[in-house]
Amino acid sequence: MNRELREFRRLERVCRESAAITTLPMERDALLVVAEDLRKAIEAREPARQAKA
């Protein structure tokens, strides 16, 4: 699970960094939506991880 969370965080960071450098508004918006979805997935999984500890 920890490995999965790290990968979600990495993908979120890549999406945000890509959105920061793109010149196409539609592409930027799409990347930010994906980053937000990844953030929600991370937040949803973290409490489950803390409950197991």
Side-chain angles (χ1 to χ4, degrees):
M1 181 82 105
N2 193 24
R3 186 177 187 181
E4 188 175 85
L5 286 173
R6 280 195 315 263
E7 181 66 10
F8 280 177
R9 287 186 190 107
R10 186 189 72 78
L11 290 170
E12 179 194 14
R13 186 176 63 250
V14 167
C15 286
R16 292 191 188 280
E17 290 170 356
S18 297
I21 62 172
T22 189
T23 58
L24 300 172
M26 184 183 291
E27 183 179 3
R28 182 176 30 255
D29 292 345
L31 286 164
L32 291 173
V33 167
V34 172
E36 184 60 29
D37 289 346
L38 287 163
R39 170 59 34 198
K40 289 176 184 177
I42 291 166
E43 290 172 356
R45 292 174 189 276
E46 282 182 332
R49 191 179 89 185
Q50 291 171 355
K52 289 182 181 179

